[in-house]
Amino acid sequence: MSEIKDLYVIEWMGPYNSLEEMYEREGSETCCIYLITGRVAYERALDIKYVGITKRAVYSRLDDKDHRAKQEKIKEKQFWAGRFSIASYNNLNTPSKRNRAESVETLLVRYLTNLPGAKMINDKKRFQDPHKPIVVISRWQKKMTDGQRYNKPSVLRKLPDTLMYADKEFYAGDKMRLTLYSE
């Protein structure tokens, strides 16, 4: 198995029913990766429909004219904002940080679009594998506080808590649990 040098922890906040609600969340301006959940025509279940990254605050990017046009296909939209657990990665203004965030985006888009029945609206990165081994751990936080969620919302069931790409294969693990040890 290949050596994994890229490990990222993403702290996801949400769901937000509107961009105004996301704007009000303290700390969301430092987020640089996002998900849009909902459903497209002829689907019954809500699911992840879009994954993206941005240099600006997520709510600003989602409010762009071109991005709103992409979102028109999605019904019952909800938004999730994610930030890398290391604060220095939240600013994507340097090329190396941007490349790392794009690696995470590529991993998520490629994994999610290849699941059976997936109807993602991402146009780019659907057929592009990550360039090197990578691991992403997702932590889920409550919408308006920094409190940890103990159960991942069902709309995100297809996004595993731990996702790894190595040796041209995807590995996924779910159900990370709180475990208490006593001495």
Side-chain angles (χ1 to χ4, degrees):
M1 183 174 264
S2 301
E3 182 180 4
I4 297 170
K5 295 182 180 179
D6 291 346
L7 169 71
Y8 303 98
V9 177
I10 301 176
E11 298 169 346
W12 294 102
M13 298 177 282
Y16 300 102
N17 297 313
S18 68
L19 299 182
E20 292 78 24
E21 188 179 14
M22 185 184 291
Y23 177 78
E24 292 172 6
R25 167 59 155 97
E26 186 177 327
S28 67
E29 67 279 352
T30 63
C31 295
C32 63
I33 190 164
Y34 57 93
L35 302 171
I36 303 174
T37 60
R39 61 181 184 81
V40 293
Y42 307 108
E43 274 189 321
R44 292 182 184 184
L46 299 174
D47 209 349
I48 299 170
K49 296 295 161 203
Y50 192 86
V51 178
I53 59 173
T54 182
K55 288 182 184 179
R56 300 178 288 152
V58 172
Y59 48 81
S60 297
R61 173 67 180 125
L62 290 167
D63 201 30
D64 285 349
K65 184 178 179 181
D66 67 320
H67 214 295
R68 281 192 309 239
K70 289 179 191 177
Q71 296 175 43
E72 287 178 5
K73 301 175 188 175
I74 305 172
K75 311 252 187 289
E76 300 178 48
K77 286 185 290 258
Q78 289 187 319
F79 307 99
W80 295 80
R83 64 176 165 224
F84 291 94
S85 62
I86 301 171
S88 61
Y89 285 112
N90 290 329
N91 180 351
L92 300 183
N93 292 328
T94 65
S96 65
K97 291 176 186 174
R98 177 76 184 188
N99 289 341
R100 290 178 181 156
E102 284 197 21
S103 295
V104 172
E105 179 189 28
T106 300
L107 174 74
L108 296 177
V109 170
R110 179 73 166 135
Y111 177 79
L112 292 168
T113 55
N114 288 307
L115 293 174
K119 293 185 180 175
M120 299 271 297
I121 64 168
N122 284 77
D123 296 327
K124 299 176 183 174
K125 302 182 181 180
R126 295 173 63 104
F127 305 106
Q128 176 185 350
D129 284 337
H131 298 295
K132 55 187 174 178
I134 182 172
V135 175
V136 173
I137 299 171
S138 293
R139 292 183 61 212
W140 306 99
Q141 295 186 344
K142 295 178 182 173
K143 180 170 36 177
M144 296 307 278
T145 68
D146 286 329
Q148 176 83 21
R149 285 181 182 265
Y150 293 107
N151 295 313
K152 177 172 54 175
S154 63
V155 71
L156 301 169
R157 67 191 170 282
K158 291 185 178 176
L159 181 60
D161 291 337
T162 304
L163 181 58
M164 178 174 74
Y165 178 80
D167 300 325
K168 300 186 181 195
E169 296 287 334
F170 289 95
Y171 301 87
D174 225 346
K175 298 289 183 190
M176 294 181 79
R177 293 181 203 139
L178 175 66
T179 306
L180 300 174
Y181 294 99
S182 59
E183 295 181 21

